Amino acid sequence: MKNYEIMFILSTQLTEEEKKAGVTLVEETLTKAGAVELKTEIWGDRKLAYPIKKKENGYYVLTLFQIDGTKLPEVEAKLNITESILKYMIVRND
């Protein structure tokens, strides 16, 4: 298992409960794929570098985890159809 991190951005138009539900959804998706979550950092609302889906701000969350790399497509497939996630990026940490 290798170390990865995912940075994802949720819409700021969501309520606090919906934002927490979005974070939980990502964590559960990772767990179902066999990941071991190490840490989640909520960075909160920040201005985007460029508009995404006509939005100027986003709710940033960073999660560190360990997973077998062959399981990542399964995670990405779920995240791609989640409407509350504006953008995400998964990066391998060495």
Side-chain angles (χ1 to χ4, degrees):
M1 298 202 4
K2 303 204 186 267
N3 292 326
Y4 290 88
E5 66 181 33
I6 179 172
M7 168 69 74
F8 58 98
I9 305 171
L10 300 171
S11 172
T12 56
Q13 295 177 342
L14 300 173
T15 66
E16 287 300 317
E17 294 160 357
E18 291 172 328
K19 290 176 186 175
K20 287 179 186 176
V23 173
T24 303
L25 174 77
V26 172
E27 291 172 346
E28 288 174 354
T29 302
L30 291 170
T31 304
K32 286 179 185 173
V36 177
E37 184 182 338
L38 301 177
K39 181 168 72 166
T40 297
E41 297 177 15
I42 297 178
W43 292 9
D45 294 343
R46 295 180 179 228
K47 184 163 176 51
L48 299 172
Y50 55 89
I52 300 173
K53 297 182 183 175
K54 299 184 181 180
K55 299 197 175 31
E56 299 289 329
N57 295 309
Y59 185 77
Y60 284 72
V61 181
L62 174 71
T63 300
L64 305 173
F65 62 98
Q66 292 179 334
I67 193 171
D68 177 17
T70 60
K71 303 285 185 177
L72 284 177
E74 178 181 325
V75 172
E76 291 176 337
K78 176 70 173 168
L79 297 178
N80 285 335
I81 61 171
T82 305
E83 291 184 23
S84 62
I85 297 177
L86 298 177
K87 203 82 144 154
Y88 72 90
M89 180 182 286
I90 299 175
V91 180
R92 187 173 136 200
N93 287 344
D94 287 329

